[in-house]
Amino acid sequence: MLSITEENYLKAIFKIAERDQSPVNTNAVAASMQTTAASVTDMIKRLSEKELLDYEKYKGVLLTEKGRKLATNLIRRHRLWEVFLTEKLGFSWDEVHEIAEELEHINSDQLIDRMDTFLGYPRFDPHGDPIPDADGYWTRRPQVLLGTLLPGQLGVVTGVDDHTSAFLQYLNQLGLGLGENIEVINRVLYDNSMIIKLKDGKSIAVSDKVVQHLFVKISA
Amino acid sequence: MLSITEENYLKAIFKIAERDQSPVNTNAVAASMQTTAASVTDMIKRLSEKELLDYEKYKGVLLTEKGRKLATNLIRRHRLWEVFLTEKLGFSWDEVHEIAEELEHINSDQLIDRMDTFLGYPRFDPHGDPIPDADGYWTRRPQVLLGTLLPGQLGVVTGVDDHTSAFLQYLNQLGLGLGENIEVINRVLYDNSMIIKLKDGKSIAVSDKVVQHLFVKISA
DNA sequence: TTTTATTTTTAGATTAGTCTAAATTTTGTT
DNA sequence: AACAAAATTTAGACTAATCTAAAAATAAAA
Ligand SMILES: [Mn+2]
Ligand SMILES: [Mn+2]
Ligand SMILES: [Mn+2]
Ligand SMILES: [Mn+2]
């Protein structure tokens, strides 16, 4: 049985290993957990003791298979809860993360299985992130950052690279939700912004920031 | 912001105050929380410091209005989650308590409001216990223990006085779920058991234990 | 290859929550 | 009223998780 704190560390380490490289270094974990390097070293020892991490002093950590399974299971729970909150309770995608951050620690496999069934076995969460299966695996969806599209190309919004509610709310305002069809009109070289056309026919300008953080699947 | 431990103490104290009398004494809390009297004294001081309890050394504790609101809100959350687990996820009434015990600590009023709406504003949980409103109030339902009924009287099962899964599973086996219509055939004086008739016409014998822990509403 | 900067670990303290054992207060009984 | 029993509180110690400051190891730069 893990404490909520231990679970959070494990999840953070998994995500850093995915984003950066393995082994994961102490400072990266400290930054992600908003704590000190000293605390991280402490916790790393505890998690290694429980055989969730492979740890060698000064060399960083790798997740063991046991650690990986626990971490992906947390992500599975988190994302399923996010689907529940949006699909069933009517929350908006910018409101669910914090609540799911708590709900993911509810420890019941039966609960998650039944929730998965109740939701109809969703493959992606409200932010377009994949939901791991019970073994902790998922298949990557072909998607690229909006910024890589050329004028004339068509695409569908499939995800975000920035999960802050500020960004998500801004996308709401722009009408750029998941599944939205877009067409690139042109790229403004001056500030790297873009003019895109939405399905309602309206053209909008999206800043460099948006272009760098919105995933789309190229459809033509 | 309260810790999960603090919330659990508060809930325990509320329930003891309801069951026994106020003020609540230290040993009762220790028994309920399965901890020592010393730990309870410690926690009582902390909760008094936060003005959730009125505490006088050696005299036991009373909940303040603030404490009562928090305690009943926990009970509200617990029971709404139990409804969700049974109604939406298909859990049986003997499986939900432990999970709700964790879920009740998820701290989001918005979540509970939306859940309440999603469930259609239920007034009772799967065990027949009333769900407090947002201010922590509910109206008592007219119900009596099965044991008080006389031969010939009709009733509807409305609740249980024993929430152990052993008891609930035994009731499943007997076909005595919530809402079940029954008729008292006769009382066996020898062992205080009872013969009752169910709506399917079958008569069954129920032991003294059942008779003392099953609530029914008299319907005729 | 020294020297410097960065990263990581250790040492020592702190807080929440817990425990056992001992002291104190209250309650019940002669 | 005096004594015994029960309930409660205090004292002191322990673990998990955290922090700051200092020491040690590694990496980068001169
Ligand atoms: Mn999230
Ligand atoms: Mn998400
Ligand atoms: Mn319950
Ligand atoms: Mn219940």
Side-chain angles (χ1 to χ4, degrees), chain B residues 6-179:
Chain B
E6 288 172 320
E7 289 190 337
N8 283 334
Y9 269 96
L10 215 53
K11 194 169 55 128
I13 290 166
F14 177 87
K15 289 198 166 177
I16 295 163
E18 247 201 335
R19 170 170 54 87
D20 306 353
Q21 76 303 337
S22 263
V24 171
N25 44 295
T26 306
N27 270 350
V29 179
S32 157
M33 293 292 292
Q34 307 202 80
T35 184
T36 61
S39 302
V40 173
T41 302
D42 242 33
M43 180 55 80
I44 281 175
K45 284 177 183 168
R46 237 174 310 207
L47 294 175
S48 306
E49 200 53 50
K50 298 191 177 185
E51 306 198 313
L52 304 171
L53 299 178
D54 280 330
Y55 170 55
E56 219 183 323
K57 265 191 192 178
Y58 293 101
K59 303 289 179 185
V61 292
L62 301 170
L63 283 153
T64 63
E65 175 58 17
K66 206 168 141 193
R68 187 197 64 80
K69 275 229 169 100
L70 283 168
T72 50
N73 198 242
L74 279 165
I75 291 170
R76 173 172 162 79
R77 293 181 194 174
H78 182 102
R79 293 181 181 167
L80 280 172
W81 277 116
E82 287 191 339
V83 172
F84 169 71
L85 293 172
T86 53
E87 297 291 309
K88 301 295 181 179
L89 297 194
F91 280 96
S92 160
W93 69 346
D94 56 285
E95 301 173 313
V96 296
H97 179 73
E98 295 307 316
I99 302 175
E101 208 57 32
E102 294 191 44
L103 284 163
E104 72 189 10
H105 300 290
I106 303 297
N107 207 346
S108 165
D109 287 340
Q110 244 210 319
L111 174 62
I112 289 307
D113 287 350
R114 283 174 184 261
M115 182 62 80
D116 195 22
T117 303
F118 181 58
L119 298 173
Y121 310 102
R123 311 277 305 280
F124 299 96
D125 84 0
H127 310 104
D129 294 313
I131 296 172
D133 64 28
D135 295 319
Y137 295 106
W138 65 86
T139 46
R140 244 167 55 85
R141 180 159 54 175
Q143 61 180 11
V144 294
L145 289 176
L146 175 56
T148 65
L149 268 67
L150 300 173
Q153 281 195 293
L154 302 175
V156 184
V157 176
T158 53
V160 292
D161 199 14
D162 172 356
H163 291 71
T164 61
S165 48
F167 183 57
L168 299 174
Q169 280 166 18
Y170 182 48
L171 292 178
N172 285 344
Q173 215 176 295
L174 292 174
L176 280 173
L178 234 58

